Amino acid sequence: MYNIKKYICGSPFETNAVAENIAVSDKLPCYINISENDRVITYAMGKEDKVYGLGEAVRGINKRGWIYETYCSDDPMHTETKRSLYGAHPFIIVDGEKLFGLFVDYPDKVTFDIGYSDIDTLTVTVKSADCCLYIIEGEALTDIVKGFRRLIGKSYVAPYWAFGFQQSRWSYYTSKDVQSVIDGYRTNGMPIDAVYLDIDYMDGFRDFTVSDERFPNFKEFVRSAKSQHIHLVPIIDAGVKCDDSYSVYTEGRDNGYFCKDKDGNDFIAAVWPGKVCFPDFLNAEAARWFGMKYKTLTDMGIDGFWNDMNEPAIFYSERQLDKAIGKIAAYRGKNLGVYDYFGLKDTVLGLSNSAGDYSSMYHNVNGEIVCHDRVHNLYGFNMTKAAADAFVEIAPDRNILLFSRASYIGMHRYSGIWTGDNQSWWSHIKLNLQMLPSLNMCGFLYTGADLSGFGDNATEELALRWLALGIFNPLMRNHSALGTKDQEYFRYKNKDIFGNLLKVRYALIPFLYSEYRRAIEDDDLMFRPLAFVYRGDKLAEACEDQLIVGDSVMIAPVYEPNALGRYVYLPENMMMVRFKSDREYECESMAKGHHFVEIPTCEAVIFIREGKALPIVKAAANTDEIDLNTISFITNNDGGEYVLITEADKRTIKYRSTGEVYV
Ligand code: GLC
């Protein structure tokens, strides 16, 4: 049970984050203080209070001890001292002397100082006093999650095939490159369902075009990939290349669909293709126009997209560049001392995503001219909503895969997200794990990190360890940046091990998809921190590197190099399963408490909770070929029933203690 109070400060911008109508209260609960000018909220945290939420953010599952800003930011260096990443998710749960959720519905920057300036104080600051506050109270953590999720509406349902393994890389230049990736997986007997087309498939980085030279007969290529059970998933960028011979640009320009500068001219800045204009996704007509453009590709058989650079990312604008060049010129011939040198460096680095550019951009929202600053966090949301809305019209009989880089609360109704440009760092394996429950709290269930890391070079050991966690990411995609070491799994020396771990994923797909759909249906988490399940167990409550998946399985991946294994905390008696492949696994009963578990890189280890069971199937080369008749159970109980949710239906499967199923 939960109750939600809504409190309005000033004149908030209508964000569409919330899907339910809530009566407005005139008073916040007495434990929350709000300053005179409604900009600063404070709460005195108890010594033991924990704070969860914030979706895509650095640091642990418990967010206490740092300062975060919800502000969509194009920043590929996800170090522990960063304050914001690509998604803006201003929702937290305070769990301690008081238990409540707080959602600050405000599309510009919100600062969450969670014991950073003062170890015992939570301070939430908005830039201007125009926001809606929602306080969710309940008796259990799950009540708060459910209350919030009901408030913001049901999560997007991804297609079943999108739970298959997906390979990506920025620099598949030609259809031959793509085909050789497909062949690499297929000829090595490694399952795969999708290959991604990064910006190189386009003609000169123009959205909704395909290079004839590098991807000739594209429609036929898409068809041929489908016949090999491969979905091709192209990228769409927010910026539209300024080019008089490109119809998307001229249509947008002539109809006034682009964001403007302060004089009412199109706002122009540079991204991949050089100068671009940004479609005004907050203008309903412009959003519809852009959304309908996806038809060019759905007509060619495409059924999956990833929306990118939609914070929006800006490399530079002419105005900022001129200023910078002026400043840099002044340094010429000088003997640069330390401050000058830093000044020079900052001038160049400050060109991208500059505050000056964002405040020079304007939107037309139902006829009202709105400065981008006021609505920054809604840009990627509305780009993605535009696509999702259009799919209803242009592909009514297909469930299209869609996910985005930038996001705000509420966008989860339209798509998933991936967590952007991470790095091939060991710490990012752990970050991947920690983001999963935090994102779930904010409604993002179809989500995942770039496996093996986007930037930098992935070693074989890192790739294997990440894969053992990646098996559980709903969006299971290996992606890497231009110029990095190749990291397709078949390129490594021990490709058989990679293949076996991929087969473990395919054995688990019916289970993972069911738990995903159940989490959507029940407005619940698919990935739970141990703190949410084992209340009152201090060790479980403090556990930051293990998760419960659905409600039957615990995972505890290795995220350190040269590790023999790791310490695992079992909050109850469990059964450990060491998977070497889909059909090759060993079980061992283990007692509650701490254990050092040896985990070789060729194994994916999971733990089944007492009284629970895990359904598995025989792996297949792709999701189309998964045969549900091969389902059996690994049991840690005396048999029972499992409700399997497939894309088409729901069925109750009965199983015996031995794992076999019967009708
Ligand atoms: C951005 C995306 C990344 C993509 C690259 C080139 O950095 O986050 O995934 O590969 O752009 O399109």
Side-chain angles (χ1 to χ4, degrees):
M1 282 306 286
Y2 59 86
N3 78 75
I4 306 182
K5 288 210 169 67
K6 175 178 179 179
Y7 179 84
I8 297 184
C9 309
S11 326
F13 186 88
E14 179 46 74
T15 62
N16 281 320
V18 161
E20 208 179 63
N21 253 335
I22 301 279
V24 180
S25 313
D26 51 2
K27 255 209 199 113
L28 277 170
C30 58
Y31 49 86
I32 294 194
N33 302 305
I34 187 153
S35 69
E36 290 288 299
N37 59 10
D38 279 4
R39 279 192 47 245
V40 184
I41 300 160
T42 51
Y43 174 74
M45 294 188 287
K47 289 273 177 252
E48 307 279 312
D49 285 12
K50 296 178 179 65
V51 180
Y52 303 108
L54 292 181
E56 189 180 305
V58 296
R59 300 210 163 214
I61 299 172
N62 178 0
K63 294 291 177 213
R64 190 162 177 166
W66 189 243
I67 181 165
Y68 308 84
E69 291 166 351
T70 53
Y71 189 76
C72 297
S73 305
D74 166 29
D75 182 346
M77 284 294 150
H78 310 168
T79 51
E80 64 182 77
T81 51
K82 283 294 156 69
R83 294 184 178 191
S84 37
L85 300 176
Y86 309 89
H89 308 138
F91 169 64
I92 54 170
I93 301 175
V94 177
D95 174 24
E97 288 167 17
K98 290 262 173 326
L99 175 63
F100 65 93
L102 167 67
F103 171 42
V104 184
D105 188 8
Y106 181 70
D108 192 358
K109 189 181 288 177
V110 186
T111 306
F112 289 84
D113 179 336
I114 311 179
Y116 167 80
S117 304
D118 172 337
I119 195 163
D120 295 319
T121 306
L122 164 71
T123 308
V124 181
T125 313
V126 290
K127 258 172 66 184
S128 72
D130 297 306
C131 64
C132 277
L133 300 178
Y134 294 87
I135 309 280
I136 302 133
E137 292 175 319
E139 273 163 28
L141 281 162
T142 327
D143 294 340
I144 312 289
V145 169
K146 288 197 176 190
F148 180 57
R149 294 271 301 282
R150 287 205 181 127
L151 177 72
I152 60 175
K154 289 275 175 228
S155 302
Y156 156 82
V157 178
Y160 186 65
W161 66 261
F163 273 67
F165 167 65
Q166 319 187 28
Q167 179 64 55
S168 183
R169 179 175 173 84
W170 169 13
S171 64
Y172 296 151
Y173 291 112
T174 62
S175 47
K176 283 209 178 76
D177 292 344
V178 173
Q179 186 57 50
S180 75
V181 171
I182 301 174
D183 295 344
Y185 280 96
R186 289 280 180 253
T187 56
N188 286 294
M190 301 162 101
I192 183 167
D193 270 83
V195 178
Y196 279 66
L197 304 179
D198 207 319
I199 46 175
D200 307 298
Y201 80 90
M202 298 181 199
D203 174 16
F205 309 131
R206 292 170 185 84
D207 278 338
F208 310 114
T209 67
V210 177
S211 161
D212 268 348
E213 200 188 311
R214 285 173 294 106
F215 287 82
N217 305 320
F218 188 66
K219 192 170 179 180
E220 170 51 25
F221 183 55
V222 177
R223 198 208 50 77
S224 142
K226 276 272 168 65
S227 71
Q228 303 166 68
H229 301 277
I230 294 290
H231 298 257
L232 298 177
V233 184
I235 196 168
I236 302 292
D237 283 317
V240 170
K241 184 179 169 80
C242 301
D243 169 0
D244 289 343
S245 64
Y246 166 44
S247 67
V248 179
Y249 169 70
T250 52
E251 276 174 38
R253 180 196 61 197
D254 298 346
N255 289 298
Y257 289 155
F258 295 133
C259 292
K260 303 286 181 227
D261 65 15
K262 69 172 186 340
D263 302 319
N265 301 315
D266 288 343
F267 173 87
I268 296 173
V271 199
W272 307 120
K275 290 189 182 156
V276 300
C277 282
F278 293 100
D280 186 356
F281 296 114
L282 281 93
N283 169 338
E285 210 182 298
R288 183 167 187 319
W289 162 75
F290 192 86
M292 294 307 281
K293 293 287 166 208
Y294 286 76
K295 189 169 186 303
T296 327
L297 291 157
T298 53
D299 281 354
M300 297 199 213
I302 291 294
D303 54 8
F305 295 92
W306 47 314
N307 282 347
D308 192 22
M309 305 299 271
N310 50 2
E311 293 70 32
I314 293 180
F315 291 169
Y316 68 88
S317 67
E318 198 127 285
R319 202 169 64 103
Q320 303 289 343
L321 188 63
D322 280 350
K323 273 206 242 163
I325 290 172
K327 271 195 187 165
I328 292 167
Y331 289 118
R332 183 177 289 141
K334 258 182 135 185
N335 176 0
L336 300 186
V338 55
Y339 302 116
D340 278 340
Y341 172 68
F342 286 158
L344 174 66
K345 236 170 74 174
D346 291 348
T347 306
V348 177
L349 293 176
L351 276 175
S352 321
N353 308 317
S354 83
D357 278 336
Y358 289 142
S359 45
S360 315
M361 258 175 99
Y362 292 85
H363 300 270
N364 175 349
V365 186
N366 304 322
E368 188 196 342
I369 304 303
V370 176
C371 178
H372 179 78
D373 276 346
R374 268 186 70 200
V375 292
H376 176 74
N377 291 337
L378 298 178
Y379 191 75
F381 174 158
N382 282 286
M383 172 183 184
T384 303
K385 179 175 182 299
D389 286 347
F391 294 159
V392 177
E393 271 182 70
I394 62 185
D397 49 354
R398 281 189 282 170
N399 184 11
I400 306 274
L401 168 65
L402 178 64
F403 62 91
S404 167
R405 194 171 74 171
S407 59
Y408 181 69
I409 299 284
M411 199 193 81
H412 71 291
R413 299 194 297 273
Y414 304 98
S415 82
I417 54 173
W418 96 102
T419 56
D421 297 349
N422 61 1
Q423 306 282 331
S424 301
W425 297 344
W426 287 92
S427 60
H428 280 185
I429 301 181
K430 190 173 175 193
L431 188 60
N432 178 184
L433 174 116
Q434 291 171 321
M435 275 191 197
L436 289 168
S438 312
L439 286 164
N440 281 190
M441 291 173 208
C442 296
F444 293 99
L445 293 172
Y446 188 74
T447 176
D450 286 348
L451 301 186
S452 297
F454 174 74
D456 235 316
N457 299 314
T459 62
E460 178 155 347
E461 188 200 1
L462 176 130
L464 278 171
R465 291 302 197 191
W466 208 325
L467 177 55
L469 167 65
I471 287 171
F472 294 93
N473 276 242
L475 164 55
M476 185 195 184
R477 184 179 75 145
N478 173 343
H479 179 47
S480 54
L482 170 73
T484 58
K485 189 165 173 268
D486 289 344
Q487 63 186 39
E488 292 81 11
Y489 293 139
F490 62 83
R491 298 193 195 276
Y492 287 103
K493 189 167 168 193
N494 294 293
K495 50 187 166 201
D496 52 326
I497 301 182
F498 286 95
N500 286 339
L501 291 177
L502 285 171
K503 286 181 185 154
V504 178
R505 162 67 169 210
Y506 278 71
L508 295 175
I509 285 178
F511 162 71
L512 291 169
Y513 191 74
S514 270
E515 295 307 319
Y516 163 72
R517 293 292 297 264
R518 203 176 335 274
I520 297 176
E521 249 181 61
D522 298 349
D523 300 300
D524 206 343
L525 307 179
M526 175 176 172
F527 295 95
R528 293 168 219 279
L530 267 51
F532 280 51
V533 181
Y534 303 97
R535 301 292 286 161
D537 175 339
K538 272 198 175 309
L539 294 174
E541 285 181 359
C543 184
E544 283 279 346
D545 60 357
Q546 302 176 196
L547 294 176
I548 302 291
V549 185
D551 86 334
S552 49
V553 166
M554 184 177 80
I555 55 171
V558 173
Y559 51 85
E560 277 176 350
N562 303 312
L564 192 60
R566 56 163 287 175
Y567 282 95
V568 179
Y569 176 62
L570 267 53
E572 58 177 314
N573 296 338
M574 290 188 177
M575 191 168 79
M576 175 170 73
V577 187
R578 294 180 175 280
F579 279 104
K580 281 205 169 62
S581 183
D582 58 328
R583 295 268 125 169
E584 207 187 322
Y585 56 86
E586 281 165 22
C587 303
E588 182 186 334
S589 292
M590 290 174 83
K592 173 176 165 49
H594 276 107
H595 296 264
F596 185 84
V597 181
E598 286 190 21
I599 309 178
T601 48
C602 61
E603 288 183 2
V605 171
I606 60 147
F607 302 83
I608 302 182
R609 297 177 64 198
E610 213 160 28
K612 310 279 179 186
L614 171 70
I616 54 167
V617 291
K618 190 169 179 303
N622 54 73
T623 51
D624 295 336
E625 291 175 352
I626 289 179
D627 179 359
L628 290 179
N629 293 317
T630 63
I631 202 161
S632 64
F633 285 75
I634 307 177
T635 62
N636 192 13
N637 62 11
D638 298 331
E641 287 182 0
Y642 182 79
V643 178
L644 185 81
I645 310 179
T646 70
E647 211 169 18
D649 63 13
K650 244 188 203 186
R651 48 189 100 162
T652 303
I653 303 183
K654 294 184 182 170
Y655 58 90
R656 300 185 208 282
S657 61
T658 50
E660 61 196 299
V661 304
Y662 64 100
V663 205

